[in-house]
Amino acid sequence: MATVLVIDDNEAVCTALLTLFHMQGYRVWTATDPTAALSLLAQQNIDLVLQDMNFAKGEMQGLQGKTLFYQLRQQYPAIPVILMTAWTQLDMVVELVKAGASDYIAKPWDDARLLLTVQNVLKIKQLQDKQQQAERKQQERLAQFVGKDLCGLVFASTAMEQLLQMALQLAPSNAAVLITGENGTGKEGIAQVLHANSARAKKPLIKVNMGALPTDLMEAELFGADVGAYSGLGKTRIGRFEAADGGTIFLDEIGNLSLSGQMKLLRVLQTGEFERLGSSLTRKVDVRVLSATNTDLTKAIATGQFRQDLYYRLNVVQLHLPELKQRPDDILPLARLFLAGQKALSAGAEQALLQHQWPGNVRELQNICQRAVLLASGSVIETTDLGLQLEEPQSKRMLDDFDRVEIEQVLAQHGGIIARAAKQLGISRQALYRRMEFYGIATP
């Protein structure tokens, strides 16, 4: 239940507002002068202030109210303030609204409009509080990773936080890690974190996309080949395992490795030994193996396409990356990373990103953001610039693409400043006023 502080030198006004707000379920405090008001604010948790502009007989210029307002903004910047004034003080009120006042009410007031204004201002405050809470939570989340190399990974979801915690716990060991997840979820990024926070960080991290290697050259790529090992080879070929000696090798799409290659890989994992193609010389390396797959290796084992003993060697510990649609908190932070500050997202564009199902995961989001930067004509990316196809028909919204929630969110982001909110939405101030009137959102 919200608590409202009414500041007015007229006892009758205080009593009337006390009764009105009590009937609506609000807790109410009243003060008849600025000193008493500041004393109450120091002692009570106040959610909203409703203040008069004059506190002495004969005072009509609103200077006392102006002084009190700036005191409130300085001492309690998070508490919204609604001004009560006569129309003769409109110029000063406009100045104070620009300085951060949430709204103003003319005396004598209309009960319905006053209650609606208070309700909307409190809703905006709740949104701001949630946003600040989310920012604090993100700062706390990142604090635990101070001193760790996250390799540029951006996240805000609990799922990614827990995954990175586990990755950092595993990083110092030499254990083989199998990273699973759909294509485009960021498995390579987790491999980089494992390597960057290990004792091998200064040694090579060799990445091998097994799905991109021709089957007949796969073993040569991994283990190397001597001159003449196959037609056209005129010089010794150093394999990826030799190149990774002392460091880490990341085998992406490990399920594509041939059975003969699997046998050699199993030997490397067991002994660190292998032979180049066309050579009988046994070589030994010290390499940590990280692997990744988007397929179900247990099914491949059942059909004889993957060795069970190799699977257990690779899967000492498994890290699973959830799909992007399963961690929606990461969508907007990732989008802003990919936009790199070049352009901003409108509220409608943000909503469209959150509603999309992301079959291509993080890689799809990156491509869409890069394309939107090129196609957007202004500094703000609109929904149409994203080129997303809706997964299912949606009912057409009244008054363009902006609903009440979106408007309130944008107003909260900009502290209720109409000009800035309208700019982000890509409409004029007059158009925003019309929409606010339509949805019953209080107008500054």
Side-chain angles (χ1 to χ4, degrees):
M1 183 181 297
T3 302
V4 177
L5 171 60
V6 176
I7 313 172
D8 197 296
D9 63 322
N10 190 324
E11 291 281 3
V13 170
C14 289
T15 301
L17 291 174
L18 177 69
T19 303
L20 176 65
F21 289 129
H22 267 315
M23 292 176 62
Q24 300 300 318
Y26 294 103
R27 288 189 295 263
V28 187
W29 292 92
T30 62
T32 55
D33 61 74
T35 302
L38 293 171
S39 177
L40 278 170
L41 282 162
Q43 300 173 35
Q44 305 295 332
N45 291 322
I46 303 298
D47 297 304
L48 180 143
V49 170
L50 183 63
Q51 75 151 82
D52 192 17
M53 294 297 293
N54 299 298
F55 300 99
K57 290 183 178 181
E59 174 61 46
M60 299 294 294
Q61 302 302 314
L63 296 177
Q64 293 173 319
K66 178 178 179 180
T67 300
L68 174 60
F69 171 77
Y70 281 112
Q71 284 181 291
L72 295 176
R73 300 313 296 159
Q74 182 177 12
Q75 297 180 37
Y76 305 98
I79 299 179
V81 177
I82 298 176
L83 306 172
M84 296 190 71
T85 179
W87 287 107
T88 53
Q89 298 159 350
L90 187 57
D91 289 344
M92 180 178 292
V93 170
V94 170
E95 174 193 339
L96 298 185
V97 167
K98 290 180 179 179
S102 297
D103 209 333
Y104 66 85
I105 295 293
K107 289 182 177 181
W109 66 85
D110 175 82
D111 284 353
R113 184 179 186 277
L114 173 59
L115 290 172
L116 182 60
T117 300
V118 168
Q119 179 184 359
N120 288 330
V121 169
L122 286 172
K123 282 184 178 179
I124 291 174
K125 181 179 184 296
Q126 289 174 355
L127 289 171
Q128 291 174 328
D129 289 344
K130 286 181 180 179
Q131 184 176 352
Q132 291 172 358
Q133 184 179 3
E135 290 173 355
R136 285 195 299 270
K137 187 175 180 180
Q138 179 67 354
Q139 290 173 354
E140 292 171 0
R141 178 181 283 122
L142 294 175
Q144 64 185 307
F145 298 117
V146 171
K148 305 296 183 180
D149 187 352
L150 298 184
C151 302
L153 291 184
V154 171
F155 65 97
S157 66
T158 301
M160 280 300 293
E161 177 186 3
Q162 294 173 345
L163 181 67
L164 284 169
Q165 286 175 339
M166 190 171 181
L168 291 171
Q169 186 176 349
L170 294 171
S173 74
N174 286 318
V177 178
L178 177 64
I179 307 169
T180 60
E182 296 293 329
N183 280 334
T185 50
K187 298 187 290 294
E188 183 178 322
I190 298 300
Q192 290 176 321
V193 170
L194 285 165
H195 175 74
N197 293 277
S198 72
R200 301 172 180 266
K202 295 183 179 180
K203 297 292 184 177
L205 168 61
I206 303 298
K207 305 172 187 176
V208 188
N209 184 349
M210 308 297 288
L213 295 179
T215 303
D216 55 347
L217 294 179
M218 194 172 291
E219 291 183 44
E221 284 288 337
L222 292 178
F223 307 111
D226 275 353
V227 176
Y230 54 84
S231 178
L233 183 63
K235 62 179 181 179
T236 299
R237 185 171 194 165
I238 301 297
R240 304 294 180 91
F241 271 90
E242 282 188 75
D245 192 17
T248 305
I249 190 167
F250 173 55
L251 305 176
D252 198 6
E253 298 188 36
I254 188 65
N256 290 330
L257 184 60
S258 65
L259 286 173
S260 61
Q262 291 176 35
M263 184 172 62
K264 287 192 173 184
L265 178 57
L266 178 63
R267 183 185 174 199
V268 173
L269 290 172
Q270 290 173 332
T271 66
E273 297 178 347
F274 66 95
E275 289 84 31
R276 293 177 184 164
L277 287 179
S279 172
S280 59
L281 177 64
T282 299
R283 303 175 186 277
K284 190 175 182 69
V285 290
D286 173 23
V287 174
R288 183 186 189 180
V289 176
L290 306 176
S291 54
T293 183
N294 66 337
T295 60
D296 188 342
L297 293 183
T298 57
K299 290 183 179 179
I301 292 170
T303 59
Q305 296 175 309
F306 203 85
R307 294 178 62 107
Q308 186 175 45
D309 48 2
L310 175 59
Y311 173 76
Y312 288 118
R313 283 283 182 176
L314 293 172
N315 191 22
V316 175
V317 182
Q318 184 175 139
L319 295 177
H320 180 72
L321 261 167
E323 299 172 70
L324 184 57
K325 66 181 180 183
Q326 296 174 337
R327 43 190 176 102
D329 289 346
D330 291 335
I331 293 174
L332 295 183
L334 284 168
R336 296 184 186 107
L337 172 69
F338 298 143
L339 294 175
Q342 299 176 71
K343 294 188 179 183
L345 291 164
S346 71
E350 289 184 351
Q351 192 67 23
L353 292 177
L354 293 172
Q355 291 176 347
H356 189 58
Q357 293 301 300
W358 300 111
N361 292 295
V362 177
R363 189 175 297 132
E364 180 188 4
L365 175 60
Q366 182 176 14
N367 291 342
I368 282 175
C369 289
Q370 291 174 344
R371 183 177 67 237
V373 168
L374 297 175
L375 296 180
S377 57
S379 61
V380 176
I381 293 174
E382 303 294 344
T383 307
T384 53
D385 298 322
L386 298 172
L388 294 174
Q389 293 186 358
L390 299 178
E391 280 70 24
E392 56 186 38
Q394 295 185 351
S395 59
K396 188 173 182 179
R397 299 174 180 172
M398 295 183 180
L399 293 173
D400 301 333
D401 280 335
F402 307 115
D403 61 21
R404 181 192 185 101
V405 173
E406 290 171 343
I407 292 174
E408 288 180 339
Q409 287 176 340
V410 175
L411 285 169
Q413 291 173 11
H414 295 287
I417 299 176
I418 295 295
R420 295 178 184 175
K423 183 177 180 181
Q424 178 170 331
L425 291 169
I427 58 179
S428 68
R429 285 181 294 177
Q430 291 76 14
L432 179 53
Y433 276 122
R434 287 197 299 272
R435 286 155 176 79
M436 291 171 68
E437 182 180 358
F438 178 83
Y439 291 118
I441 302 173
T443 56

